[in-house]
Amino acid sequence: MLNANIDYDAYGRDVLAGKIKVCKWTRLAVERHYRDLESAHERGLIFSEPHARHALKFFDFLCHSKGKWAGQPFLLSPWQAFWTAVIFGWLRFDGLRRYRKAYIRVARKNGKTTWMAGIGLYLAVGEGEPGAEVYTAATKLAQARLIHKESEMMVRQSPVLRRRVQIQRDMIFLQGTATKYVPLGA
């Protein structure tokens, strides 16, 4: 359980301490997270550690498919763990996720594609929502397929996911449900 026990707050603390240099917008988002931990309940929001940990734990089922890490377990980097926890840990009082959209902008070669492939699989399979619909979208279908193909490779390398998930052409779906995960071009 590599990712399930990760200190996802390390990145946020390092940003606040100035140990990690980030843009103004990232710093503001990190500050908002910690400020909201103190007062968001007044606005009908709660940070659920179990929900955050559940999303992080899902990555323990995934492996890298390319490069020097091919076949290795997917260990989230500190920034990936922090933002995964923030995206999936924040809930409204009605139990729905606070964040419906996330804008992530990271420099090249930082694992965005692999991370987004894992996020897509978590949304399709990990949350257990019947009939979930997950789309990777880009201006060109070929771009959307990059993340989708990475997701397919993760499914093929995971014995747990292989038992439950089917891959057909450009669609990943969960057996016995209406859940689907497809790439879209504009």
Side-chain angles (χ1 to χ4, degrees):
M1 297 298 166
L2 303 169
N3 292 299
N5 298 319
I6 197 167
D7 179 8
Y8 61 82
D9 265 336
Y11 171 83
R13 288 191 311 268
D14 286 348
V15 167
L16 293 180
K19 293 179 185 176
I20 298 176
K21 302 294 182 210
V22 296
C23 73
K24 168 183 153 182
W25 305 112
T26 299
R27 182 165 182 86
L28 288 171
V30 170
E31 289 173 356
R32 179 184 60 208
H33 168 69
Y34 288 106
R35 191 173 52 249
D36 284 352
L37 286 173
E38 301 297 322
S39 64
H41 63 281
E42 297 164 5
R43 298 188 324 270
L45 300 169
I46 187 164
F47 184 78
S48 168
E49 175 99 9
H51 281 84
R53 291 274 173 218
H54 187 264
L56 294 168
K57 184 179 178 181
F58 181 79
F59 281 84
D60 287 340
F61 296 106
L62 308 178
C63 290
H64 290 276
S65 67
K66 296 189 271 188
K68 63 182 176 182
W69 293 297
Q72 302 277 334
F74 190 141
L75 182 59
L76 292 164
S77 67
W79 74 267
Q80 292 167 329
F82 178 81
W83 292 115
T84 300
V86 167
I87 292 167
F88 294 102
W90 278 105
L91 304 174
R92 301 183 323 202
F93 278 163
D94 63 8
L96 296 176
R97 281 196 313 270
R98 172 186 187 178
Y99 297 112
R100 309 298 288 170
K101 296 178 185 178
Y103 177 78
I104 308 292
R105 187 172 181 169
V106 181
R108 292 177 36 125
K109 299 297 180 190
N110 275 291
K112 292 183 303 288
T113 300
T114 308
W115 180 54
M116 294 277 53
I119 294 288
L121 285 172
Y122 179 70
L123 289 167
V125 180
E127 285 192 308
E129 181 182 332
E133 294 182 15
V134 180
Y135 301 98
T136 51
T139 56
K140 304 232 188 287
L141 184 57
Q143 289 173 313
R145 283 184 175 147
L146 291 175
I147 292 174
H148 194 75
K149 291 297 180 192
E150 185 68 23
S151 298
E152 288 178 0
M153 292 301 295
M154 288 176 166
V155 169
R156 287 187 178 104
Q157 290 182 13
S158 171
V160 172
L161 294 180
R162 262 197 328 259
R163 283 194 297 269
R164 301 183 62 214
V165 177
Q166 294 288 315
I167 301 170
Q168 277 186 346
R169 286 191 271 169
D170 274 339
M171 183 166 47
I172 296 172
F173 62 95
L174 193 56
Q175 295 175 18
T177 71
T179 296
K180 65 180 180 178
Y181 177 12
V182 296
L184 298 175

